[in-house]
Amino acid sequence: MSFSTFGTAGDAGIRAEADGLGPLLAELALGFAELSSPEHAEPVETRGLTLAAREPGELAVRFLNELVFLADSEGFLPAAAEAEVKAKDGGLELEATIKGEAAAFGRRARGLLVKAATYHGLKVKESGGRWTAEVVLDI
Amino acid sequence: MDPRIKRLDAFRLEIPPGYKQGMNGPAIVYADEAVAALIEPEALEQAANTATLPGLAGAALAMPDIHTGYGFPIGGVAAFDARDGVISPGGVGYDINCGVRLLASSLEAKDLAAGLEKLASALYARVPAGVGAGGGIRLGKRDREAPLLKGAAWAVERGFGRPEDLRRIESGGALPGADPGEVSGRALERGRDQLGTLGSGNHFLEVQEVTDVYDEAAARAYGLFKGQAAVMLHTGSRGLGHQVCTDFIEVMRRAAARYGIPLADQQLAAAPFRSTEGQRYFGAMQAAANYAWANRQALTALVREAFEAALGLGEAALGLRLVYDVAHNIAKFEEHKVDGEARKLIVHRKGATRAFAPGHPELPAAYAAAGQPVIIPGDMGRCSYVLAGTARAMKETFGSACHGAGRLMSRHEAVRRARGRRIADELAAKGIIVFSSGRETLSEEMPEAYKDVDAVVGVVAGAGIARRVARLRPLAVIKG
């Protein structure tokens, strides 16, 4: 499992890979945290998320937009994430537990202000049991 | 460049309707040879994609500061018929009503020299900036809708700024069709304490000096003179606007499927303007636009306070009169002539500035002869411009011009190239004081990360869609 960040024309993105869709989303969460602050947050508080989507790409964008909301509304930055994805009603349902730190921007060095996760150039796919993702964020 | 893209003249390229399946008209790109060489192929594809949306009026347009965006390119203008055309959140962008305003002081830049460091420090202390920086005006539950309805006037009612400021703001600083009921609880939550905050990224506050005046009559009308100290600020609707866009991209993806709108790009998701979804977005977008005007108005009051505190001068001595405030991420209901016929249109300007001609009824009386001030920020090391709208812009671009220099390199690339350099020291050597809260912000935003705004403005002026009035250089820069 791993993630990396990359630059686009005016913005930034996250690439991740993992051995399941849930772990892939967990890696994207860590990528989001790294872009938002170069200092690691502490896993001192927990947030739970439940989300539905029609397909994996949509799920990845919606999951990251949940993290954008938490970061912007309460300064919450992820330190670790566990995510499980199940098939439901012809689509997907995610249950995730995010550990991290609220009001983190007052204590941590500030990175990029992520406005949103986008569908631009979105790639989320599985091949031979290996999941990979590339998501572009509006900065 | 793709050989199918034709050069029309020294300042215009045409992407013909046959370039891509489904185009409903051409895309016109404003660029000379030098600027065209800097445009990413993907941005040109996006300009062509824009022309595939239903109800396109005339041509899709791209300004010389074009670069790749999401759905629409940044620097894109597209107008759709209000009866049978679409509205698209991707044509406005995440930072709804991101915009720029310019304040003209009564002081000359040389009057500030001794106190510039103190002034920059006072501005940095008073204006909340940076990632996660709330600290603005905290809205109670009962207050949350008022700025969304009243815009800049709400801020003035609360004591932020002067009533006369409102006359010098595009649309008077409030769009009448705002519908706060369509702004989600999440958007309101994100915007709860962000009124009166600058944000991060390319948002800034600059103390500037007017170094050149090109059009004396227009400069006089705008209250600008050579050597004058001025303040430019650039910000938008902060998290509230970002969330409105996020929410409605999802709504519009479903709507596009329902209405059978083919999407060349998911971020172009759109709905017919007259549909329920289209009207809901238009109401929410206008509410977010009004929030942005309230934000820039509140910041204006903080800037004036900082000047008074740092320089020990009163309002009369400082001036700091609002020259104008322009939106550069917005969709507006406007009437324009297309092929000689007056049509009601939804004009999307994403990274593009309204540039109405002299005599337009929406302009303040004082600017009727000069035309609308078009405020074009450059980068923090070179310069910015004030232009004026023209009749040719009304005829060709739905009264629009560029919005800035346009990014040339990614943030990652800028940080990589800035490694080992001290950007603040380099700017200090040019006499520019910089304050920034982000560790990497100065590297990401270094001057070379942007196109040369002189070249971009050269295209706009050469094409005749705006004319140069004044050029300003930065003296002190506050970044998030």
Side-chain angles (χ1 to χ4, degrees):
Chain A
M1 296 200 298
S2 65
F3 72 85
S4 61
T5 61
F6 63 94
T8 66
D11 299 304
I14 311 168
R15 292 191 184 97
E17 61 175 273
D19 54 9
L21 181 53
L24 183 78
L25 298 177
E27 291 297 317
L28 289 174
L30 298 181
F32 169 78
E34 184 173 284
L35 283 172
S36 301
S37 172
E39 293 180 22
H40 292 297
E42 294 294 326
V44 291
E45 294 182 52
T46 302
R47 300 285 183 276
L49 292 176
T50 302
L51 278 177
R54 289 171 293 190
E55 42 84 24
E58 186 176 76
L59 190 63
V61 169
R62 289 183 179 177
F63 175 64
L64 283 167
N65 277 326
E66 291 289 326
L67 300 182
V68 170
F69 173 72
L70 288 171
D72 205 23
S73 59
E74 51 176 301
F76 184 87
L77 277 185
E82 288 181 8
E84 189 178 358
V85 181
K86 293 176 184 167
K88 188 177 179 186
D89 300 333
L92 299 169
E93 185 179 79
L94 164 73
E95 284 196 24
T97 304
I98 321 289
K99 289 187 176 171
E101 190 178 331
F105 296 113
R107 296 186 290 272
R108 307 280 167 203
R110 293 165 179 180
L112 297 176
L113 190 157
V114 179
K115 294 176 188 165
T118 78
Y119 288 93
H120 176 81
L122 176 67
K123 295 182 188 113
V124 178
K125 58 188 178 186
E126 185 266 340
S127 176
R130 198 80 187 145
W131 282 84
T132 56
E134 188 172 304
V135 188
V136 174
L137 307 170
D138 192 33
I139 302 299
Chain B
M1 189 169 291
D2 190 301
R4 292 172 296 170
I5 300 175
K6 292 187 299 187
R7 177 156 289 287
L8 299 177
D9 61 26
F11 300 107
R12 291 168 184 79
L13 297 164
E14 184 193 56
I15 306 176
Y19 178 84
K20 178 167 282 201
Q21 191 175 7
M23 285 175 73
N24 296 312
I28 304 295
V29 181
Y30 287 81
D32 59 13
E33 291 286 356
V35 166
L38 302 175
I39 300 175
E40 310 140 287
E42 188 176 3
L44 297 173
E45 288 299 309
Q46 291 186 332
N49 288 343
T50 304
T52 66
L53 288 172
L56 179 75
L61 306 167
M63 295 297 141
D65 49 339
I66 180 177
H67 59 94
T68 306
Y70 307 121
F72 282 52
I74 313 294
V77 178
F80 300 95
D81 193 283
R83 287 169 306 178
D84 56 7
V86 297
I87 187 166
S88 171
V92 173
Y94 284 93
D95 196 356
I96 295 166
N97 191 5
C98 186
V100 193
R101 68 167 49 188
L102 183 70
L103 306 172
S105 85
S106 300
L107 305 174
E108 294 195 30
K110 64 180 193 289
D111 300 330
L112 298 181
L116 190 60
E117 182 87 34
K118 189 179 174 190
L119 174 60
S121 183
L123 288 165
Y124 187 63
R126 279 171 196 262
V127 175
V131 178
I137 304 158
R138 195 174 180 86
L139 296 171
K141 276 196 174 169
R142 278 180 295 179
D143 299 330
R144 287 187 186 183
E145 290 196 354
L148 307 186
L149 285 169
K150 295 182 177 177
W154 174 86
V156 171
E157 284 172 13
R158 296 273 297 243
F160 296 99
R162 309 165 188 163
E164 62 266 30
D165 292 340
L166 302 177
R167 292 197 295 272
R168 305 293 173 102
I169 303 175
E170 179 176 329
S171 298
L175 294 172
D179 185 353
E182 291 297 343
V183 175
S184 70
R186 288 191 152 205
L188 293 171
E189 179 64 21
R190 286 177 74 172
R192 188 176 40 130
D193 67 347
Q194 293 185 348
L195 268 178
T197 66
L198 196 59
S200 184
N202 62 0
H203 293 168
F204 67 81
L205 169 61
E206 282 186 9
V207 181
Q208 302 177 332
E209 175 186 6
V210 178
T211 56
D212 302 271
V213 169
Y214 306 98
D215 181 329
E216 288 286 353
R220 205 175 306 116
Y222 297 167
L224 299 175
F225 59 88
K226 190 171 178 179
Q228 183 179 23
V231 177
M232 188 177 283
L233 68 90
H234 176 213
T235 188
S237 51
R238 310 283 285 107
L240 184 139
H242 309 163
Q243 188 67 41
V244 166
C245 185
T246 292
D247 293 341
F248 277 92
I249 289 276
E250 295 289 351
V251 170
M252 295 300 197
R253 288 177 77 229
R254 292 191 294 273
R258 181 176 316 129
Y259 295 108
I261 298 170
L263 297 179
D265 179 330
Q266 285 296 304
Q267 290 281 144
L268 280 177
F273 177 64
R274 293 292 177 204
S275 68
T276 301
E277 294 90 340
Q279 290 297 298
R280 286 180 57 209
Y281 171 66
F282 195 46
M285 187 275 303
Q286 290 180 91
N290 290 349
Y291 180 96
W293 273 313
N295 187 31
R296 291 198 287 276
Q297 186 63 35
L299 285 167
T300 297
L302 298 179
V303 166
R304 288 169 174 156
E305 283 176 19
F307 265 74
E308 288 179 19
L311 303 180
L313 296 171
E315 187 177 307
L318 288 170
L320 291 175
R321 183 184 53 77
L322 179 55
V323 176
Y324 209 59
D325 175 307
V326 287
H328 54 224
N329 281 5
I330 203 159
K332 296 182 85 173
F333 184 80
E334 294 174 0
E335 186 171 302
H336 292 273
K337 278 192 174 172
V338 182
D339 298 327
E341 180 195 355
R343 290 171 65 182
K344 290 184 168 52
L345 304 171
I346 304 306
V347 182
H348 295 64
R349 297 188 181 95
K350 181 182 184 182
T353 311
R354 201 186 73 173
F356 280 178
H360 195 285
E362 281 202 35
L363 298 185
Y367 299 163
Q372 184 207 302
V374 181
I375 302 165
I376 307 297
D379 60 69
M380 62 184 174
R382 285 177 281 193
C383 65
S384 297
Y385 277 90
V386 176
L387 311 178
T390 65
R392 188 149 189 181
M394 302 311 295
K395 190 176 166 197
E396 279 187 30
T397 63
F398 308 103
S400 311
C402 64
H403 87 307
R407 259 198 111 81
L408 193 56
M409 64 179 76
S410 74
R411 291 170 200 280
H412 272 58
E413 178 65 9
V415 169
R416 191 183 68 76
R417 291 202 194 187
R419 210 159 280 148
R421 291 169 55 183
R422 292 177 180 275
I423 303 298
D425 290 349
E426 291 176 19
L427 292 168
K430 296 164 94 174
I432 303 166
I433 297 168
V434 184
F435 283 82
S436 172
S437 66
R439 183 187 279 185
E440 308 258 53
T441 304
L442 294 186
S443 299
E444 291 159 6
E445 293 291 312
M446 67 178 182
E448 307 96 290
Y450 287 87
K451 292 176 194 166
D452 181 352
V453 74
D454 286 335
V456 169
V457 165
V459 171
V460 165
I465 56 174
R467 63 182 204 282
R468 291 185 190 90
V469 174
R471 188 173 188 261
L472 304 97
R473 75 175 181 99
L475 301 172
V477 181
I478 311 298
K479 298 285 288 184

